[in-house]
Amino acid sequence: MGKTHERISGRLREFIEAQPIFFTATAPLSESGTVNLSPKGLAGSFAVLDDLTVAYLDFAGSNAETIAHLRENGRITLMWCAFQGPPNIVRIHGRGEPVFRDDQRWPDVMSNFPHIDTSLHGLRAIIIVHADLIRDTCGYAVPLMTYEVDRDLHAKRFSREDDASLGQYFEKKEFVATSIDGLPGLPLPLPSMPSGN
């Protein structure tokens, strides 16, 4: 029942852009390493860059497992589920990389997120994913659920921070600069947000 797609276009693109939540999965190379699975949301924080490339904003949090795994090996899978309407699951298997605030590409990539106020969420990186395999499956067992609204708690928490205090917050967290398995995570000290963002 699954189908492989050559590109992110048409109804497939419309589907993933319409979903209020998606999930990311990464893992270190070590057999004993910790697999990471994370939900991602916040309207406007995901973008299709071209037929084989997507990006999403990586906001402040207590861990940086995805960043650490991508820095080590680049492997990532993104997944969307239809919680409303016809059943569907879409996965993009690919190679990802974090773009940090001091990367020359930052302003250009950030232009794909015009509705995000970067002062609200402690934005620390942009994750770019290049698709190697794009598949959808039936999703018949995914429950029907109703989306209400994005929570405002993340913005309330991190809108109080400036670049200096946000950097101090990350430095105090055990698994931000280094992953659970000891891999390099978010590079610190945190660079200032580029002007114009």
Side-chain angles (χ1 to χ4, degrees):
M1 299 179 71
K3 180 180 177 182
T4 299
H5 299 265
E6 292 185 4
R7 60 186 54 88
I8 306 162
S9 61
R11 279 188 268 180
L12 179 73
R13 177 173 178 165
E14 291 172 8
F15 171 76
I16 64 175
E17 289 181 328
Q19 303 313 306
I21 187 171
F22 65 99
F23 302 88
T24 68
T26 59
L29 293 176
S30 169
E31 291 181 7
S32 62
T34 307
V35 175
N36 187 64
L37 178 64
S38 296
K40 302 294 179 183
L42 294 177
S45 66
F46 172 84
V48 177
L49 304 186
D50 63 41
D51 285 355
L52 290 173
T53 313
V54 300
Y56 69 89
L57 302 181
D58 183 75
F59 297 115
S62 299
N63 297 323
E65 297 301 297
T66 300
I67 287 174
H69 297 159
L70 294 181
R71 291 182 71 189
E72 185 203 36
N73 62 65
R75 298 176 305 165
I76 188 168
T77 298
L78 309 181
M79 183 183 77
W80 294 260
C81 298
F83 294 112
Q84 298 177 351
N88 194 16
I89 298 171
V90 172
R91 290 179 181 88
I92 294 177
H93 306 268
R95 311 295 292 181
E97 64 172 318
V99 174
F100 299 115
R101 291 173 165 202
D102 55 356
D103 191 301
Q104 292 181 346
R105 297 172 293 170
W106 180 278
D108 183 53
V109 180
M110 195 62 211
S111 69
N112 292 282
F113 305 94
H115 304 296
I116 291 292
D117 181 345
T118 58
S119 68
L120 294 181
H121 296 284
L123 179 60
R124 59 188 185 182
I126 307 167
I127 306 299
I128 298 178
V129 178
H130 305 280
D132 293 328
L133 177 64
I134 307 162
R135 288 193 44 83
D136 65 4
T137 52
C138 67
Y140 290 169
V142 175
L144 288 168
M145 295 189 289
T146 302
Y147 168 73
E148 293 181 17
V149 67
D150 285 347
R151 296 178 192 261
D152 63 358
L153 297 175
H154 196 274
K156 285 181 177 178
R157 165 61 187 89
F158 289 101
S159 63
R160 303 188 305 245
E161 307 288 355
D162 59 19
D163 288 342
S165 64
L166 185 62
Q168 291 169 358
Y169 168 84
F170 291 143
E171 288 171 6
K172 292 176 184 175
K173 294 296 179 183
E174 184 178 6
F175 300 121
V176 170
T178 305
S179 78
I180 292 171
D181 300 309
L183 297 172
L186 182 70
L188 296 175
L190 184 71
S192 296
M193 184 68 72
S195 59
N197 286 297

